[in-house]
Amino acid sequence: MTILLLLAIAVVGAKLPRAKAFVQPEPDENPYAAEVESAAAEAAEAAVRRRTEWSAAQEEVEATWAAYEEAELQTRRIAAATAFPLMSRRRKPGDNIDRQRYLHRAATELCRTQDLSIAQLNDVFAHRGWNPRLHPVQQEAVLHGAVRAHRLEAYRKAVAREQAAWRGAEAAAETLRDLRAEAASARLRGPASESADQQWWSEQWTRAELPAAA
């Protein structure tokens, strides 16, 4: 009976799932190098983001320049069409009101399509620099001149953003190169110079921010 009982216990124990042994990861012999490698991995991600931002900024510059060229072409066409003076005639009662309504309506539509800025539209309604009594043909020429100015300003702002994005991408790439070089050097030096390496890390990288996550 004792033998049978022992056999039964052995069979049941064999069928029970065995807990997997937890493998403790081996500690890195060079923690400083591991720290720099981790920072380099984060810097690589930041560099990719900065490069992507720069690429998007370049596309914006091209788009805004194309919009400006189109506005310039339209302005020249309208200027050529209005080169001849209009026939003067006695204005009917209400003509000035109709002309003002036309100006407001046309400016609102141009603002809706982002051909005029909100600030320009406000100037139109406040008649700051705008003469609401001009003939609609003349108003058309003035409106497209304002569109051209708006598109040119948008292009200049896009160029400024592209230059800032390029500087950010270059700074991120330089940071990544320095970190990768330091990580490789730390691995070659080994853990013996860890204290000196940590001092270098403290002096070099605590003063300069790594590229922040977007």
Side-chain angles (χ1 to χ4, degrees), residues 85-99:
L86 297 172
M87 294 181 60
S88 60
R89 63 177 180 82
R90 191 183 187 89
R91 296 183 186 178
K92 297 178 181 179
D95 271 0
N96 288 338
I97 296 177
D98 291 340
R99 293 181 179 188

Side-chain angles (χ1 to χ4, degrees), residues 30-84:
N30 194 337
Y32 167 74
E35 182 181 358
V36 180
E37 289 168 350
S38 177
E42 294 179 4
E45 295 177 359
V48 171
R49 288 194 299 270
R50 296 294 179 264
R51 194 77 180 182
T52 302
E53 291 170 0
W54 180 35
S55 178
Q58 287 179 308
E59 293 177 358
E60 184 185 8
V61 168
E62 294 175 359
T64 53
W65 177 251
Y68 167 72
E69 286 188 321
E70 177 64 23
E72 173 69 16
L73 180 60
Q74 289 293 334
T75 301
R76 290 182 179 180
R77 288 176 177 174
I78 294 174
T82 58
F84 299 98

Side-chain angles (χ1 to χ4, degrees), residues 107-173:
T108 300
E109 179 62 21
L110 289 172
C111 184
R112 188 186 66 81
T113 57
Q114 298 182 355
D115 289 310
L116 285 181
S117 66
I118 296 295
Q120 287 175 306
L121 182 63
N122 291 337
D123 289 340
V124 169
F125 277 88
H127 303 156
R128 288 190 294 266
W130 293 82
N131 184 0
R133 297 183 179 183
L134 290 179
H135 191 277
V137 174
Q138 296 171 314
Q139 294 287 15
E140 195 72 14
V142 177
L143 283 167
H144 278 81
V147 170
R148 177 179 59 185
H150 172 61
R151 291 302 185 184
L152 180 58
E153 181 64 19
Y155 167 73
R156 289 172 175 168
K157 291 180 178 179
V159 169
R161 286 190 292 269
E162 186 271 337
Q163 292 175 347
W166 176 80
R167 290 192 294 269
E170 285 295 300

